[in-house]
Amino acid sequence: MARIIRTCKGALAAVAAAFLAFPGPADALVDDRLDVFIQAWIAKASDDNAAASDQYLKLLDKEPDNTSFSDGLWRSAIFAGDRPKAVRAARFIELNGGASEASLLLFADAIQRRDWADARSAIANLPDASNYGFLKPLLSAWLRNARGNAHGFAQQPATPLLQYYSVGQRAYFDMAAGDMKQARISVGAFASQDDEFARELRIRFAPALAAAGDRELARRIAKNLLPADILAQYTERPADKRLKKITASDGLSALYSRLAASLLEQAMAEEALALARTASWVAPHNDAAKMTLARVLDGLEYPQKSDQLLAEIAPRSAHYARAAITRIQSAMEGGRHGDAVKIAEDAARQRPAAEFDILRGQALQSGGRLAEAQAIFTTLLDTADEQRISPKRRAVYHLYLGMVLDEQGDWSAARENLERGMALDPQNPYLINYLAYTLLERREEIVASLEMLQRAHRLAPQSAAITDSLGWGYYLTGDYGNAVRYLEKAARSTDADVTIREHLGDAYWLAGRFVDARYAWRAAALVAEGDDASRIARKIDLGLEREAAAK
């Protein structure tokens, strides 16, 4: 939804009052600064950050020591993605004694320009007690490395926080310095690790190792992460010169991206944006940094900008598939089912893969085009070579086909596909959950369904959906104590939705906790729509009636 911007005389009067409160010369109103400030404020309120940054620059030309103006320029330039203005803002902030993400941008900018004095100044302007003061040993090491000297980073970092963020940086130091003997050790340590950070490091180092002559290690660390043709491209003769060598810019980009991801998890999205922007600016070829930046933009409710950034990632990139999948899922979540289908079709043409066909089918299903979705999943099963396609993968195809058939009202065929899938992969908790929960919805085989859900929960205890299903199974068998226990756990998850909260309210009610029930229903009502909203509203008013029970 587009942002609604309202301005009124009262609001503009408040802006004028704020301007008058700023420190400045006695003749502050003689010139046009008030008008410029109001224009900056209106542009900022209208989400026109490019225009806002222009106005803040005009103000700073007149009053360079005004920290409110420099902060305004910094924020608007970062949101607009304007590097030159962000650097200028960072210099104003530095001149005025400020130290923040701006200092990290100035350091990266200085390293790229090979201005060692500016780089030292940026480090010096980070107070030890500031949020980023702990990074000074890493930044100093990168400065030494960029100048052609030994990085000198301590084997045992002084603090746990520095230790956490220096993991992986040592590998970048070794490769950037050309110390292949040590690099093989430091990079090899990540070969079997599978968290997001380790995967990004392995992908980035594969072409650099191949270019340095160690194709065996390059293949080993990138194995199972890349399609066969991209793997060959990255580990045989890397074509992109920028990927053949690790530089200080690569190391800083990885460090800043990791910081941005951590800040986003801590709900510090604006700070995360500044670091994600810097990571992308310092290494424009780093598609992993673009992925992080897109995630931050999406977290700040800029889905269109996030999508545009992800669309820039080329089909020959190691990150293309993940970028396309992210775009498709985002479009579906935003109700843009047609866009999701188009992105999936384009991706499938660029890089034929079953994953894109699955997502195209899901997008069609979400948009109500059930027959087309059924055709896609049927084709996937009909063309699945049992010699090449694993039983687990074929089980997933049966799950998706069963879901579509169920939505079409053909429960007999749906159940047959779900049971075929379970025969192929008895340990797939999502298959078990879908079959068992659908039986619960139909009020069929409740005891057997509960046993299946207990098994699914043992296989995937972290899944809020499966935990909810298990709690609801206990509810339908009359075990309200266990129902509340599992439904409360599901409701504490960040994935809690209308269904989970309504189920919890129903369980509370039959457990005799009437006040808690209404709190849970009110939480569900905040995001409920259509028939769900009407049913929940009736419960809040009248309590749980048989005809108002959740499915």
Side-chain angles (χ1 to χ4, degrees):
M1 180 183 292
R3 289 170 172 76
I4 299 173
I5 306 302
R6 296 184 177 90
T7 59
C8 64
K9 292 180 179 179
L12 293 178
V15 175
F19 179 85
L20 290 171
F22 291 151
D27 62 342
L29 295 181
V30 173
D31 55 34
D32 60 353
R33 275 175 288 175
L34 177 56
D35 287 341
V36 174
F37 182 74
I38 290 174
Q39 290 175 37
W41 182 85
I42 292 173
K44 177 182 172 182
S46 303
D47 221 12
D48 188 350
N49 288 292
S53 62
D54 287 338
Q55 302 307 318
Y56 281 119
L57 264 179
K58 293 178 183 178
L59 291 165
L60 282 165
D61 286 339
K62 300 279 182 75
E63 225 175 305
D65 59 348
N66 190 309
T67 57
S68 295
F69 296 164
S70 57
D71 288 345
L73 175 59
W74 169 258
R75 184 185 183 280
S76 57
I78 289 295
F79 270 80
D82 190 325
R83 176 176 178 168
K85 288 178 183 173
V87 171
R88 289 191 66 181
R91 295 199 183 285
F92 281 116
I93 292 171
E94 185 180 58
L95 287 171
N96 292 326
S100 63
E101 296 81 16
S103 297
L104 299 182
L105 171 58
L106 290 177
F107 178 78
D109 182 69
I111 290 293
Q112 283 191 303
R113 292 185 292 104
R114 300 180 64 81
D115 188 326
W116 314 133
D118 273 6
R120 283 193 298 271
S121 176
I123 295 173
N125 282 322
L126 273 176
D128 293 338
S130 70
N131 288 341
Y132 306 107
F134 76 94
L135 292 173
K136 292 172 78 170
L138 277 172
L139 301 181
S140 297
W142 276 121
L143 175 56
R144 289 190 291 270
N145 179 281
R147 298 188 67 178
N149 301 320
H151 61 76
F153 186 71
Q155 288 292 332
Q156 295 296 328
T159 68
L161 190 60
L162 181 59
Q163 170 67 33
Y164 177 79
Y165 282 102
S166 64
V167 170
Q169 285 287 292
R170 195 175 301 281
Y172 279 96
F173 286 140
D174 295 334
M175 283 294 290
D179 185 349
M180 288 303 300
K181 180 179 179 181
Q182 189 58 42
R184 289 186 183 94
I185 298 171
S186 52
V187 175
F190 289 90
S192 60
Q193 295 185 28
D194 198 39
D195 59 272
E196 182 177 358
F197 171 72
R199 288 195 297 271
E200 300 299 353
L201 184 146
R202 290 161 60 190
I203 289 171
R204 177 63 190 90
F205 275 73
L209 285 166
D214 198 336
R215 294 178 183 170
E216 181 181 349
L217 180 56
R219 283 191 291 269
R220 182 158 62 89
I221 65 171
K223 187 179 179 182
N224 302 324
L225 293 180
L226 303 172
D229 59 332
I230 299 292
L231 180 65
Q233 172 192 326
Y234 269 49
T235 60
E236 296 298 327
R237 293 182 178 83
D240 191 335
K241 293 181 180 179
R242 297 171 300 177
L243 299 180
K244 291 183 177 181
K245 187 176 180 181
I246 299 293
T247 67
S249 291
D250 292 306
L252 288 172
S253 182
L255 175 62
Y256 290 178
S257 288
R258 195 174 189 196
L259 282 163
S262 295
L263 289 168
L264 186 62
E265 289 175 2
Q266 298 169 50
M268 300 174 68
E270 290 198 14
E271 294 85 349
L273 179 61
L275 286 169
R277 286 279 192 211
T278 304
S280 193
W281 286 334
V282 75
H285 57 280
N286 185 351
D287 286 338
K290 287 182 182 176
M291 295 288 297
T292 301
L293 176 55
R295 191 160 76 245
V296 174
L297 287 167
D298 190 62
L300 284 164
E301 298 185 7
Y302 288 96
Q304 186 174 4
K305 290 183 179 180
S306 175
D307 183 76
Q308 289 170 349
L309 187 66
L310 292 172
E312 295 175 5
I313 296 177
R316 301 302 297 174
S317 168
H319 300 277
Y320 176 76
R322 191 153 65 97
I325 289 169
T326 301
R327 295 181 67 207
I328 295 164
Q329 292 173 335
S330 178
M332 284 195 289
E333 289 169 4
R336 297 181 291 109
H337 305 298
D339 289 347
V341 172
K342 183 178 184 305
I343 296 167
E345 288 173 344
D346 290 345
R349 279 193 294 270
Q350 294 287 350
R351 299 203 54 74
E355 285 76 11
F356 295 133
D357 289 328
I358 289 172
L359 286 166
R360 184 160 59 97
Q362 288 179 309
L364 288 165
Q365 182 180 357
S366 298
R369 296 160 64 179
L370 301 180
E372 293 172 79
Q374 179 185 345
I376 287 173
F377 296 131
T378 300
T379 300
L380 283 170
L381 276 167
D382 290 345
T383 58
D385 184 344
E386 293 188 11
Q387 299 301 315
R388 295 189 307 106
I389 308 299
S390 70
K392 288 185 177 182
R393 173 55 68 91
R394 298 202 305 278
V396 171
Y397 297 164
H398 279 293
L399 169 60
Y400 287 125
L401 179 56
M403 291 167 67
V404 172
L405 291 167
D406 180 30
E407 192 171 347
Q408 288 177 306
D410 190 349
W411 170 237
S412 176
R415 181 168 184 172
E416 180 183 352
N417 271 278
L418 295 170
E419 289 176 342
R420 284 185 181 179
M422 285 180 61
L424 288 167
D425 185 8
Q427 303 303 309
N428 186 319
Y430 305 102
L431 255 168
I432 299 170
N433 178 65
Y434 191 90
L435 174 58
Y437 186 77
T438 306
L439 288 168
L440 291 180
E441 285 186 313
R442 300 172 67 86
R443 303 301 191 262
E444 297 176 5
E445 303 176 33
I446 290 175
V447 174
S449 297
L450 178 60
E451 292 174 355
M452 283 193 285
L453 289 169
Q454 289 168 336
R455 182 155 60 95
H457 187 262
R458 286 194 296 270
L459 292 167
Q462 77 289 346
S463 168
I466 291 174
T467 304
D468 169 71
S469 298
L470 178 58
W472 196 237
Y474 280 119
Y475 173 92
L476 292 177
T477 60
D479 186 348
Y480 303 123
N482 269 322
V484 166
R485 173 189 168 197
Y486 285 102
L487 291 170
E488 282 182 336
K489 179 182 176 184
R492 286 193 295 270
S493 166
T494 55
D495 298 327
D497 60 10
V498 173
T499 300
I500 292 173
R501 296 188 187 284
E502 185 184 6
H503 282 172
L504 178 58
D506 289 7
Y508 277 146
W509 187 270
L510 291 185
R513 295 169 60 176
F514 306 124
V515 174
D516 291 335
R518 284 193 164 93
Y519 273 117
W521 289 329
R522 286 192 180 100
L526 291 173
V527 289
E529 298 176 350
D531 292 341
D532 290 340
S534 301
R535 183 179 64 252
I536 293 169
R538 184 176 177 85
K539 290 181 186 180
I540 293 170
D541 289 340
L542 303 175
L544 182 62
E545 303 170 302
R546 180 178 296 276
E547 61 270 21
K551 294 293 185 181

